Amino acid sequence: MSNLQARTISDFGEQWTEYPQTDGFFGSADLFNDIFHPLLSVSDVAGKRVAEIGAGTGRFVNILAEAGASHVVALEPSSAVEVLERNTERHRDRITYLRATGDQIPPSGDLDYVFIIGVLHHIPEPDPVVAATFAALKPGGKIA
């Protein structure tokens, strides 16, 4: 891991630990729909296996779980993984928590969607993350 990548992960971990809130519009299905409409709606994840790379405080993990995702894989490489677990406790039975970088997403080939929201542009070398993401998706699965 490069010094830049380690510093970026550490900085975001500090941010999410200092500001762990996920309430209001910041953590809402309306925000999700604002980001992805017209290509995708939060209702599209109902019954699907999904992942989020860079899950931070868990705001999108909660949105995905509340929308009816059958299972969410939440990857967070920073110390904020503790905040993530605390903020998503009510959905714990449908979440796999991984303290891992995006290139370490398991190559399960069974995910319907992998979300990388507000993260990819912070990764110094995104190619390994994108390649690993494709290995995690089932045929016809999508990266968003």
Side-chain angles (χ1 to χ4, degrees), residues 34-107:
D34 278 355
I35 293 169
F36 291 106
H37 179 82
L39 303 174
L40 180 69
S41 169
V42 72
S43 63
D44 293 332
V45 304
K48 305 293 185 186
R49 291 184 53 81
V50 303
E52 185 190 9
I53 293 175
T57 61
R59 67 183 173 141
F60 287 109
V61 171
N62 278 331
I63 291 167
L64 297 166
E66 289 163 11
S70 64
H71 195 81
V72 181
V73 179
L75 287 88
E76 175 54 46
S78 79
S79 60
V81 73
E82 295 167 7
V83 174
L84 166 67
E85 290 177 0
R86 191 169 49 252
N87 282 347
T88 59
E89 175 67 30
R90 66 187 176 274
H91 305 293
R92 178 175 288 282
D93 62 323
R94 291 185 290 135
I95 300 170
T96 298
Y97 301 96
L98 300 175
R99 185 168 183 182
T101 55
D103 60 326
Q104 297 171 323
I105 188 170

Side-chain angles (χ1 to χ4, degrees), residues 21-36 59-60 63 66:
Q21 299 79 10
T22 63
D23 54 351
F25 183 74
F26 181 70
S28 72
D30 288 336
L31 173 64
F32 182 95
N33 288 332
D34 278 355
I35 293 169
F36 291 106
R59 67 183 173 141
F60 287 109
I63 291 167
E66 289 163 11

Side-chain angles (χ1 to χ4, degrees), residues 1-10 101-103 122-124 129:
M1 178 180 307
S2 72
N3 287 338
L4 176 59
Q5 184 179 9
R7 190 172 66 241
T8 301
I9 290 169
S10 176
T101 55
D103 60 326
H122 291 289
I123 299 173
V129 175

